[in-house]
Structure formats: C-alpha cells, structure tokens
Amino acid sequence: VRLGFILAKLNDLQVCTGNVGNAFLYGTTKEKVFIIAGPEFGPDLEGKRLIIDKSLYGLQTSGARFHEHLSGILKKLGFKPTKADPDLWMRKHEEGYYEYIARYVDDVIAFAKDPLRIMKSLEETYVMKGVGKPRYYLGGDVLELDESWHKQNLTHAFSAETYISNSIPKLAKLVGMEKFAKKDTPMDPEYYPELDDSPLLDNTKISIYRSLIGSLNWILTLGRFDIAYALSSL
C-alpha cells in the first residue's frame, strides 16, 4: 500500500479504495466438507448431510479460494502481479502509464488516473462497499498533509492514531484494568523477558497475551516503529 502511494505520487495518479462484500462466498471450496442440517433447513433436510460447495467463512482454505477468484478477475482486466509483491498488481494503460491495484484479502485499493473506472469493473463481479477516497485503510489513517510538508515533497502519511485510540481501552479491559498507566518508555528498561521465571499462564491468559501482542504488532506495522524492540522482546 505504501509502495502504491509512492507510485501514485510519482505518476500523478488518483487513489480509490473499496471492500468486497461477502468475499468468501464467491469462491468454490476444494475441501471435502459436509454439515449435518439443523432445523433451520426445514423438515425435509433436517438431519441430512449437506456437502459444502462455496468456500464460506470459517473453512481453513476460504481465504486462499477468494485469493484465487480475485486473481482470476484481475487477470481478465489485464492486470499482472508485480515481482515486488504478488498482491500488488499492475497493467499498462493505452496512454502509456501504468495502473496499480493493491489488495489485502477483500480490501482493494486502486492507483490510476481514473481509479473509479477500475472499481466499476470490479462491480461487474463483486458487491463493492465503501468505494471512494481512502481515509482509513487496514486500520491506519490515510492523511493528506498540508502545504507545509509539500516543500519536502511529502503529500500523504499513514497514522495509527485511530487504531490505537480504539484498541487501548479494549485491551485494558481485557486485562481487567480501567486504563493503562502512562510510561516514558515502551518497556521497563530493568525488565528482561528472557530471565522471567514467574509461573506460566493458563490457557485463558495465554489467549489474552496473544491478543495484546497481535494488536501491538499491527500498531508497529502501521508505523509505530518506536515499540519494535519491546515488542520483539515480548
């Protein structure tokens, strides 16, 4: 996504984002999976085994099936995956410049002179939601910088502000706190996780710990590199 914004700036391209609605219902599963029909299927089917055809949500390979489906559609539109990243696609426009699409599961962002036209092409196959100029993408704020930054040739920025604001209260509640105490450093400089000999957590607390680490990992991905050492240590 960052690479796409750089390419857009260099080539004077516009940006448009969209989300594929009910994405996993488009693919066909390669798993051999069945269910036992419940009463909601009616008296004629209740209790019978039903073979699952669509990839659906919750199957192990549903994400892969949708990835294949969207890849097929992008190829039909003339896009090819780049060598830099298989989820960043490009095609040459008849006027000589390149158009790009970055996708993350069912989130699609297009970089082109007319990115809305690309979204319209996707709407011939998918139900596209939230189509428009990106303000918030994959948990990060997409900011248009004011003119004071333009002198440094900077026009856009990513921020984790909204994600952090939404996550911190939830994470504090998860560990039984009203709110986290403010600290001067990401981790106590006197704490060494590798020397921690406190008792191991039970399964419930292990799940909570993984949730904390998962949220911090995404905050790092969104640009808060100042927590990288503490996060890696934990």
Side-chain angles (χ1 to χ4, degrees):
V1 173
R2 291 188 178 98
L3 187 59
F5 272 96
I6 292 171
L7 291 167
K9 170 60 180 174
L10 291 174
N11 297 284
D12 195 27
L13 305 179
Q14 301 299 312
V15 186
C16 184
T17 186
N19 178 270
V20 179
N22 300 319
F24 288 0
L25 301 184
Y26 291 97
T28 301
T29 184
K30 293 181 180 178
E31 297 180 69
K32 294 180 179 178
V33 187
F34 72 89
I35 63 169
I36 304 296
E40 66 273 16
F41 285 88
D44 293 336
L45 292 177
E46 184 178 0
K48 293 184 177 180
R49 291 177 177 85
L50 302 181
I51 295 174
I52 294 177
D53 178 56
K54 292 294 185 180
S55 56
L56 301 181
Y57 286 78
L59 299 183
Q60 289 183 330
T61 60
S62 295
R65 299 291 77 79
F66 176 70
H67 191 278
E68 291 173 356
H69 194 277
L70 180 55
S71 295
I73 298 300
L74 292 177
K75 287 177 181 177
K76 287 182 180 179
L77 294 175
F79 284 92
K80 294 181 179 180
T82 63
K83 294 180 180 179
D85 189 319
D87 284 323
L88 177 63
W89 293 61
M90 63 188 291
R91 73 178 178 188
K92 193 168 186 177
H93 192 274
E94 57 188 15
E95 295 181 8
Y97 65 89
Y98 285 91
E99 298 176 317
Y100 305 88
I101 284 183
R103 50 92 175 272
Y104 189 91
V105 191
D106 56 354
D107 287 298
V108 179
I109 188 165
F111 307 91
K113 299 286 186 181
D114 185 9
L116 195 57
R117 183 169 61 90
I118 295 175
M119 292 297 173
K120 293 291 183 183
S121 298
L122 292 175
E123 284 179 344
E124 294 178 8
T125 304
Y126 303 114
V127 175
M128 299 298 296
K129 300 179 178 179
V131 174
K133 205 171 185 179
R135 296 294 181 189
Y136 189 72
Y137 189 72
L138 299 182
D141 301 292
V142 180
L143 308 176
E144 289 190 11
L145 301 176
D146 59 39
E147 293 184 1
S148 63
W149 291 92
H150 294 183
K151 296 177 182 178
Q152 303 177 52
N153 206 29
L154 299 172
T155 58
H156 288 82
F158 286 99
S159 168
E161 184 176 358
T162 300
Y163 183 86
I164 292 173
S165 298
N166 292 338
S167 299
I168 294 302
K170 295 177 183 177
L171 295 176
K173 186 177 180 180
L174 197 63
V175 297
M177 299 174 63
E178 184 175 341
K179 63 180 181 179
F180 290 119
K182 290 187 177 182
K183 300 291 183 179
D184 294 328
T185 58
M187 187 171 69
D188 186 343
E190 300 299 320
Y191 176 62
Y192 301 95
E194 67 276 13
L195 302 179
D196 193 335
D197 58 356
S198 59
L200 296 175
L201 300 176
D202 58 31
N203 288 339
T204 299
K205 290 183 178 179
I206 286 174
S207 180
I208 292 173
Y209 182 80
R210 292 178 66 185
S211 295
L212 289 166
I213 294 298
S215 290
L216 290 171
N217 194 45
W218 197 244
I219 289 171
L220 171 62
T221 301
L222 291 173
R224 286 301 302 265
F225 307 121
D226 53 319
I227 66 170
Y229 176 77
L231 177 59
S232 297
S233 298
L234 295 171

Short mmCIF file of all heavy atoms in Angstrom, two decimals, residues 92-116:
data_model
loop_
_atom_site.label_atom_id
_atom_site.label_comp_id
_atom_site.label_asym_id
_atom_site.label_seq_id
_atom_site.Cartn_x
_atom_site.Cartn_y
_atom_site.Cartn_z
N LYS A 92 -0.55 -1.88 -18.02
CA LYS A 92 -0.17 -0.70 -18.79
C LYS A 92 -1.40 -0.11 -19.47
O LYS A 92 -2.14 -0.81 -20.16
CB LYS A 92 0.88 -1.07 -19.84
CG LYS A 92 1.56 0.13 -20.46
CD LYS A 92 2.78 -0.28 -21.27
CE LYS A 92 3.54 0.96 -21.76
NZ LYS A 92 4.77 0.59 -22.50
N HIS A 93 -1.62 1.17 -19.24
CA HIS A 93 -2.74 1.86 -19.86
C HIS A 93 -2.41 2.19 -21.31
O HIS A 93 -1.23 2.32 -21.67
CB HIS A 93 -3.05 3.14 -19.08
CG HIS A 93 -4.36 3.79 -19.44
ND1 HIS A 93 -4.48 4.67 -20.48
CD2 HIS A 93 -5.60 3.65 -18.90
CE1 HIS A 93 -5.73 5.08 -20.56
NE2 HIS A 93 -6.43 4.47 -19.62
N GLU A 94 -3.43 2.32 -22.13
CA GLU A 94 -3.20 2.59 -23.55
C GLU A 94 -2.48 3.90 -23.79
O GLU A 94 -1.86 4.11 -24.84
CB GLU A 94 -4.55 2.59 -24.30
CG GLU A 94 -5.54 3.58 -23.75
CD GLU A 94 -6.92 3.44 -24.37
OE1 GLU A 94 -7.20 2.41 -25.01
OE2 GLU A 94 -7.72 4.37 -24.19
N GLU A 95 -2.53 4.82 -22.79
CA GLU A 95 -1.83 6.10 -22.93
C GLU A 95 -0.36 6.01 -22.51
O GLU A 95 0.35 7.02 -22.53
CB GLU A 95 -2.56 7.18 -22.14
CG GLU A 95 -3.96 7.49 -22.66
CD GLU A 95 -4.65 8.59 -21.86
OE1 GLU A 95 -3.97 9.20 -21.00
OE2 GLU A 95 -5.84 8.83 -22.10
N GLY A 96 0.07 4.83 -22.07
CA GLY A 96 1.49 4.65 -21.79
C GLY A 96 1.88 4.54 -20.33
O GLY A 96 2.96 4.07 -20.02
N TYR A 97 1.01 4.99 -19.41
CA TYR A 97 1.36 4.91 -17.99
C TYR A 97 0.80 3.60 -17.41
O TYR A 97 0.03 2.88 -18.04
CB TYR A 97 0.81 6.12 -17.22
CG TYR A 97 -0.71 6.20 -17.18
CD1 TYR A 97 -1.44 5.59 -16.17
CD2 TYR A 97 -1.42 6.91 -18.16
CE1 TYR A 97 -2.82 5.65 -16.13
CE2 TYR A 97 -2.80 6.99 -18.12
CZ TYR A 97 -3.50 6.36 -17.12
OH TYR A 97 -4.85 6.43 -17.08
N TYR A 98 1.20 3.30 -16.16
CA TYR A 98 0.75 2.07 -15.51
C TYR A 98 -0.30 2.37 -14.44
O TYR A 98 -0.25 3.41 -13.77
CB TYR A 98 1.94 1.34 -14.87
CG TYR A 98 2.81 0.63 -15.87
CD1 TYR A 98 3.91 1.28 -16.43
CD2 TYR A 98 2.53 -0.67 -16.27
CE1 TYR A 98 4.71 0.64 -17.36
CE2 TYR A 98 3.33 -1.32 -17.20
CZ TYR A 98 4.42 -0.66 -17.74
OH TYR A 98 5.20 -1.30 -18.66
N GLU A 99 -1.23 1.45 -14.30
CA GLU A 99 -2.23 1.49 -13.23
C GLU A 99 -1.93 0.35 -12.25
O GLU A 99 -1.40 -0.68 -12.65
CB GLU A 99 -3.64 1.32 -13.80
CG GLU A 99 -4.04 2.42 -14.77
CD GLU A 99 -5.40 2.19 -15.39
OE1 GLU A 99 -5.68 1.02 -15.77
OE2 GLU A 99 -6.18 3.15 -15.49
N TYR A 100 -2.27 0.57 -10.98
CA TYR A 100 -1.92 -0.40 -9.95
C TYR A 100 -3.12 -0.73 -9.07
O TYR A 100 -3.98 0.11 -8.84
CB TYR A 100 -0.78 0.14 -9.07
CG TYR A 100 0.45 0.56 -9.83
CD1 TYR A 100 0.57 1.85 -10.32
CD2 TYR A 100 1.48 -0.35 -10.08
CE1 TYR A 100 1.70 2.24 -11.04
CE2 TYR A 100 2.61 0.04 -10.80
CZ TYR A 100 2.71 1.32 -11.27
OH TYR A 100 3.82 1.71 -11.97
N ILE A 101 -3.13 -1.96 -8.57
CA ILE A 101 -4.10 -2.38 -7.57
C ILE A 101 -3.35 -3.12 -6.47
O ILE A 101 -2.58 -4.05 -6.75
CB ILE A 101 -5.18 -3.32 -8.16
CG1 ILE A 101 -6.19 -2.53 -8.99
CG2 ILE A 101 -5.90 -4.07 -7.06
CD1 ILE A 101 -7.32 -3.39 -9.54
N ALA A 102 -3.55 -2.69 -5.23
CA ALA A 102 -3.04 -3.43 -4.07
C ALA A 102 -4.24 -4.06 -3.39
O ALA A 102 -5.27 -3.42 -3.22
CB ALA A 102 -2.30 -2.48 -3.12
N ARG A 103 -4.11 -5.31 -2.99
CA ARG A 103 -5.24 -5.95 -2.32
C ARG A 103 -4.76 -6.70 -1.08
O ARG A 103 -3.68 -7.27 -1.04
CB ARG A 103 -5.98 -6.87 -3.29
CG ARG A 103 -5.17 -7.89 -4.08
CD ARG A 103 -5.09 -9.22 -3.35
NE ARG A 103 -4.44 -10.25 -4.11
CZ ARG A 103 -5.04 -11.07 -4.97
NH1 ARG A 103 -6.31 -10.94 -5.24
NH2 ARG A 103 -4.36 -12.01 -5.56
N TYR A 104 -5.58 -6.65 -0.05
CA TYR A 104 -5.31 -7.35 1.20
C TYR A 104 -6.59 -8.09 1.55
O TYR A 104 -7.55 -7.50 2.04
CB TYR A 104 -4.92 -6.35 2.30
CG TYR A 104 -4.43 -6.99 3.57
CD1 TYR A 104 -3.08 -7.25 3.76
CD2 TYR A 104 -5.31 -7.35 4.59
CE1 TYR A 104 -2.62 -7.84 4.93
CE2 TYR A 104 -4.86 -7.94 5.76
CZ TYR A 104 -3.51 -8.19 5.92
OH TYR A 104 -3.06 -8.77 7.08
N VAL A 105 -6.63 -9.39 1.23
CA VAL A 105 -7.84 -10.22 1.35
C VAL A 105 -8.96 -9.57 0.53
O VAL A 105 -8.90 -9.55 -0.67
CB VAL A 105 -8.24 -10.46 2.82
CG1 VAL A 105 -9.32 -11.55 2.88
CG2 VAL A 105 -7.04 -10.88 3.66
N ASP A 106 -9.96 -8.97 1.20
CA ASP A 106 -11.09 -8.38 0.45
C ASP A 106 -11.02 -6.86 0.38
O ASP A 106 -11.96 -6.22 -0.11
CB ASP A 106 -12.42 -8.81 1.07
CG ASP A 106 -12.52 -8.46 2.56
OD1 ASP A 106 -11.51 -8.00 3.13
OD2 ASP A 106 -13.59 -8.66 3.14
N ASP A 107 -9.93 -6.27 0.84
CA ASP A 107 -9.75 -4.82 0.75
C ASP A 107 -8.92 -4.51 -0.49
O ASP A 107 -7.81 -5.02 -0.65
CB ASP A 107 -9.05 -4.27 1.99
CG ASP A 107 -9.96 -4.25 3.20
OD1 ASP A 107 -10.98 -3.54 3.15
OD2 ASP A 107 -9.67 -4.96 4.18
N VAL A 108 -9.46 -3.66 -1.36
CA VAL A 108 -8.80 -3.33 -2.63
C VAL A 108 -8.56 -1.83 -2.70
O VAL A 108 -9.44 -1.03 -2.34
CB VAL A 108 -9.68 -3.76 -3.83
CG1 VAL A 108 -9.00 -3.40 -5.15
CG2 VAL A 108 -9.95 -5.26 -3.78
N ILE A 109 -7.38 -1.44 -3.14
CA ILE A 109 -7.09 -0.02 -3.32
C ILE A 109 -6.43 0.16 -4.69
O ILE A 109 -5.50 -0.57 -5.04
CB ILE A 109 -6.18 0.52 -2.18
CG1 ILE A 109 -6.04 2.03 -2.27
CG2 ILE A 109 -4.85 -0.17 -2.12
CD1 ILE A 109 -5.48 2.66 -0.99
N ALA A 110 -6.98 1.08 -5.48
CA ALA A 110 -6.53 1.27 -6.87
C ALA A 110 -5.81 2.60 -7.02
O ALA A 110 -6.22 3.61 -6.43
CB ALA A 110 -7.72 1.19 -7.81
N PHE A 111 -4.75 2.61 -7.82
CA PHE A 111 -3.97 3.80 -8.12
C PHE A 111 -3.97 3.98 -9.63
O PHE A 111 -3.38 3.18 -10.36
CB PHE A 111 -2.54 3.65 -7.61
CG PHE A 111 -2.44 3.27 -6.16
CD1 PHE A 111 -2.39 1.93 -5.78
CD2 PHE A 111 -2.42 4.24 -5.17
CE1 PHE A 111 -2.30 1.56 -4.45
CE2 PHE A 111 -2.33 3.89 -3.83
CZ PHE A 111 -2.28 2.55 -3.47
N ALA A 112 -4.66 5.00 -10.11
CA ALA A 112 -4.80 5.21 -11.56
C ALA A 112 -5.24 6.64 -11.84
O ALA A 112 -5.58 7.39 -10.92
CB ALA A 112 -5.81 4.22 -12.15
N LYS A 113 -5.23 7.04 -13.12
CA LYS A 113 -5.77 8.35 -13.49
C LYS A 113 -7.27 8.39 -13.20
O LYS A 113 -7.82 9.42 -12.80
CB LYS A 113 -5.52 8.63 -14.98
CG LYS A 113 -4.06 8.68 -15.40
CD LYS A 113 -3.37 9.95 -14.95
CE LYS A 113 -1.95 10.03 -15.52
NZ LYS A 113 -1.22 11.24 -15.08
N ASP A 114 -7.93 7.25 -13.41
CA ASP A 114 -9.37 7.13 -13.15
C ASP A 114 -9.62 5.84 -12.38
O ASP A 114 -10.12 4.85 -12.94
CB ASP A 114 -10.15 7.15 -14.46
CG ASP A 114 -11.66 7.15 -14.24
OD1 ASP A 114 -12.10 7.32 -13.08
OD2 ASP A 114 -12.40 6.98 -15.23
N PRO A 115 -9.27 5.80 -11.08
CA PRO A 115 -9.41 4.56 -10.31
C PRO A 115 -10.86 4.11 -10.13
O PRO A 115 -11.13 2.93 -9.94
CB PRO A 115 -8.77 4.91 -8.96
CG PRO A 115 -8.89 6.40 -8.86
CD PRO A 115 -8.75 6.91 -10.25
N LEU A 116 -11.80 5.07 -10.22
CA LEU A 116 -13.20 4.71 -10.07
C LEU A 116 -13.64 3.78 -11.21
O LEU A 116 -14.50 2.91 -11.02
CB LEU A 116 -14.07 5.97 -10.05
CG LEU A 116 -15.51 5.80 -9.54
CD1 LEU A 116 -15.53 5.22 -8.14
CD2 LEU A 116 -16.24 7.13 -9.57
#
